[in-house]
Amino acid sequence: MGSEIVIVPIMFGVLFGIFYLYLSTRNKERLALIEKGADASIFMKGKGHTSPIWKVLILNLALLLMGIGLGVFIASLLANYTTLDEDAVYPAVIFFMAGIGLFIGFNMTKNLDKE
């Protein structure tokens, strides 16, 4: 009964520790580079041309939902016209087609960044 009281502060402590460690390490690395005389433009190197996050989310969500819909359709066909177990076919085909949809979304997102 008392373990719930202990687990929540530990989870928040771990999240705070990870966040603090990330920020303090990044700050120390930047200060060390500045002390050595490095140019400040190296901190903006990764901020090039990227697609807006809303385009990437909409694209991946649309392809995920289309993959799930296609998976349900294919699973329905397999369940009706084969002797495969219906309880195994539906989740397998749905997850497989959803994964294919996300993979296609990943490749299309890479193409969006090239434009």
Side-chain angles (χ1 to χ4, degrees):
M1 182 84 158
S3 64
E4 299 91 11
I5 298 172
V6 176
I7 291 175
V8 173
I10 289 174
M11 287 176 23
F12 283 116
V14 167
L15 289 174
F16 173 76
I18 291 171
F19 186 70
Y20 176 76
L21 186 65
Y22 170 74
L23 289 180
S24 65
T25 304
R26 189 175 90 175
N27 190 28
K28 288 177 187 176
E29 288 175 354
R30 289 182 176 193
L31 286 174
L33 286 172
I34 290 171
E35 287 176 359
K36 290 182 182 179
D39 187 22
S41 66
I42 63 172
F43 300 129
M44 300 299 181
K45 202 175 259 187
K47 307 278 188 204
H49 177 270
T50 58
S51 298
I53 191 71
W54 64 270
K55 284 185 180 180
V56 174
L57 286 175
I58 289 175
L59 177 67
N60 284 327
L61 183 65
L63 288 168
L64 174 67
L65 293 176
M66 288 186 336
I68 290 172
L70 188 61
V72 170
F73 178 69
I74 292 172
S76 174
L77 290 176
L78 287 174
N80 287 332
Y81 296 114
T82 63
T83 59
L84 296 173
D85 184 23
E86 185 174 323
D87 293 337
V89 169
Y90 272 96
V93 175
I94 290 170
F95 283 125
F96 182 73
M97 294 306 293
I100 288 175
L102 287 175
F103 182 71
I104 292 170
F106 171 74
N107 287 330
M108 290 177 76
T109 302
K110 284 195 316 188
N111 292 339
L112 278 177
D113 289 339
K114 289 180 184 177
E115 292 176 357

